[in-house]
Amino acid sequence: AFGELVYSESTNLFQSQPAPGQFVDQLGRSVNGRFMQVGPRTTNRKASLLSTTLGLEGTLASLDWDVAVGQGISKVNNQDSNYLDDTLFNAAIAAGTIDPTSSANPTAAVDAIRLTPNRNGKSVVKFVNAKVAGSLMDLPGGSLGYAVGVQFNKESLRDTPDADQQAGNVFGSIAQ
């Protein structure tokens, strides 16, 4: 009998300039730009992997055999910050409470349109492997061997952006 257990975890923090996007300025012009006052867009990512395998191997008569079952589960969570609610951002520009070209907007006005998008993913792989091997016949140079095996895999993947991302309401977000 044999078994294997693997656990891995990683975290990282990514920061970059604010997300670029399209907004309508106070003069009614469509502008592609970044609202710098919101601060750097930040992604705090945590990922984990848990992999397990259990198996048996042995010899029966002159046949070597083995069978194994297992599964791997990978999870990822992206917690973002310093993004903007697209609808509220454009409404604040239209109302004059936010000037997208200024870094002196009231902090409360900027915080009122701020979003913290969240995205979760999970992947699962399940498998069964089996193999039989033996000697078919003896030859002058040695034994002629063979092996026969089967493998079954089942995979699933789930990627779940939050409601604001799904609705396309994150300023500068890429449609996914």
Side-chain angles (χ1 to χ4, degrees):
F2 61 91
E4 179 180 70
L5 177 67
V6 175
Y7 180 77
S8 172
E9 186 174 286
S10 66
T11 58
N12 62 50
L13 182 67
F14 171 79
Q15 289 186 322
S16 187
Q17 67 276 5
Q22 188 172 41
F23 57 89
V24 177
D25 71 7
Q26 292 168 325
L27 300 175
R29 297 174 297 193
S30 181
V31 177
N32 287 319
R34 300 176 194 273
F35 181 50
M36 299 303 285
Q37 189 177 348
V38 76
R41 66 189 141 142
T42 302
T43 297
N44 189 354
R45 182 177 298 123
K46 181 178 180 180
S48 65
L49 168 69
L50 175 61
S51 176
T52 56
T53 303
L54 296 172
L56 296 171
E57 60 186 8
T59 302
L60 180 61
S62 63
L63 299 176
D64 294 327
W65 59 271
D66 66 69
V67 63
V69 297
Q71 98 175 349
I73 300 172
S74 176
K75 297 178 183 177
V76 177
N77 174 264
N78 285 347
Q79 181 64 55
D80 297 325
S81 58
N82 293 335
Y83 281 81
L84 299 172
D85 180 305
D86 191 58
T87 303
L88 295 177
F89 180 46
N90 280 292
I93 294 169
T97 56
I98 294 283
D99 176 358
T101 63
S102 173
S103 294
N105 293 290
T107 302
V110 175
D111 288 345
I113 61 174
R114 200 180 293 268
L115 284 180
T116 55
N118 190 18
R119 186 176 194 131
N120 290 297
K122 182 178 179 180
S123 170
V124 178
V125 177
K126 297 179 181 184
F127 66 88
V128 176
N129 298 331
K131 179 181 72 172
V132 175
S135 177
L136 194 57
M137 68 174 72
D138 290 327
L139 296 173
S143 179
L144 175 63
Y146 70 93
V148 177
V150 295
Q151 180 178 48
F152 172 77
N153 292 319
K154 181 179 179 183
E155 299 180 28
S156 65
L157 176 65
R158 178 182 44 99
D159 181 16
T160 311
D162 67 15
D164 282 314
Q165 291 173 328
Q166 290 180 32
N169 196 36
V170 179
F171 179 77
S173 181
I174 299 168
Q176 299 184 27

